[in-house]
Amino acid sequence: MTHLLFRVTGPLDGLSTSDEAVLFDRGTSSNDVVRSRTAEIIARVRARGDAALIEMAHELDGVSLETIEVDRADSRAALRALEPGLRRALERAAANIATAHRAWLPTATEVETEPGIIVGRRPDPLGRVGVYAPGGRAAYPSSVLMGAIPARVAGVREIVLCSPPHRAASGLLSPVVLAAAELAGVDRIFAIGGAGAIAAMAYGTAAIPRVDRIVGPGNAYVAEAKAQIAGVVAIDAPAGPSELLVIADGSATADGIAREMLAQAEHDPLASVVLLADGEATARRIAASVSRLLPGCPRADIIEQSFAARGALLWQTRPGNEQAVDLAERYAPEHLLLAITAPERLLPALRNAGTIFLGTASSVTFGDYITGANHVLPTGGAARSYSGLSTLDFFRWTTYQRVEPAAAIRLADDVRRLAEAEGLYAHAAAGGSWATGASS
């Protein structure tokens, strides 16, 4: 009875209203307890700064900190001491991230809209950005690379990293996170996590400087903190538990697709993993593989909770790709895997996804770590309006314009008419003064 693993099972066009709600209601809004607790943490950091952060590190992380900043000598030592094979893997990931994001650098543009009227737009790197990397029970060096390297490629002057301290590391970050920070060129590192770290980077404390943008994934409290300070400092995108939508046909290997589903489900009990197969036989074949492979997963309990809460085993009832494209566009997943023959044919029709993987060899885990694309992606359907993290997130744009005197004379009468129509007579006078051929 493998279908019992999944919250929703059946033909796509047979989904009930309640089934659709399970699949599509994946918003990142938190509950009242998380919202109020986060607001308290932010207020506490604003009022008491570093003292509040040190207190919360003891209360929430179980560590006693004398200082919240990590000495750069510690990150350099962590990189030197890193196991050679792991260091090579991190260096390979870092190089690929830099290569991809360097190709996506924006360029300045300038246009002459009419003779003598020049309008330009120039990308300027942000001065200082904050990167958040989850931690505590686990270490996420990949999140350090994904946040810091695009910022460095963009030309950001200072990169600040916050991540929870590890009890096993005597209040420092885990060695692999410190090593990743050194590889990524992080300027300052702070052993502070959770909503408090977000508040500190947004408002600044005596130790932690205020930043111009905060990026990086985190738990419910981190996501809520980013939402609450979004009016103070820019953030990357709303983010929640991991998501995967797999579109598979008979050409896909059942075990391969099963492993992709298990990999994303192991992130979080609230992760969303959905399979849309080209028919019931394909769906059942993949489900059987999931059921067989699941007991061998160290995080099987988390995977089972994820499938039971937000998992779906669906199949199409009509030939062709119309149903698949429609579901993908409405579902707007963080990760979309096209495990089908000639996946490139569907690519032009698909826009609402954090990132799209073409073909069964394009494992989502490769994108999580090493292809060079970013794994900081919108979730909860936000891919309809947000993009994955890139160098574009580390620029602001300066617009400039120049009007030559002869062009000003030509513009004056129309500007005067438009300004008077809006009742802005000082505007009319300022622009209309050029009608006589000179501004006085």
Side-chain angles (χ1 to χ4, degrees), residues 196-258:
I198 303 302
M201 290 190 285
Y203 294 101
T205 69
I208 301 178
R210 182 174 182 172
V211 303
D212 302 320
R213 192 179 195 104
I214 298 172
V215 305
N219 64 15
Y221 289 93
V222 169
E224 178 61 28
K226 288 168 71 177
Q228 291 190 20
I229 56 84
V232 176
V233 62
I235 64 171
D236 40 13
S242 186
E243 301 172 355
L244 171 65
L245 171 60
V246 182
I247 296 174
D249 63 17
S251 68
T253 64
D255 279 6
I257 301 304

Side-chain angles (χ1 to χ4, degrees), residues 14-85:
L15 288 177
S16 66
T17 301
S18 60
D19 289 341
E20 290 229 358
V22 168
L23 296 184
F24 289 93
D25 186 11
R26 315 179 320 273
T28 57
S29 60
S30 56
N31 61 44
D32 290 341
V33 172
V34 173
R35 276 193 293 272
S36 61
R37 178 64 179 137
T38 300
E40 291 172 5
I41 290 172
I42 292 173
R44 188 173 168 184
V45 172
R46 293 189 69 183
R48 303 190 58 246
D50 296 333
L53 295 173
I54 290 173
E55 290 168 0
M56 287 187 287
H58 181 72
E59 295 167 12
L60 304 176
D61 299 310
V63 297
S64 298
L65 300 177
E66 295 182 4
T67 178
I68 60 177
E69 185 162 9
V70 178
D71 194 305
R72 284 294 302 277
D74 291 320
S75 63
R76 289 191 287 268
L79 182 59
R80 289 195 300 269
L82 201 62
E83 189 273 321

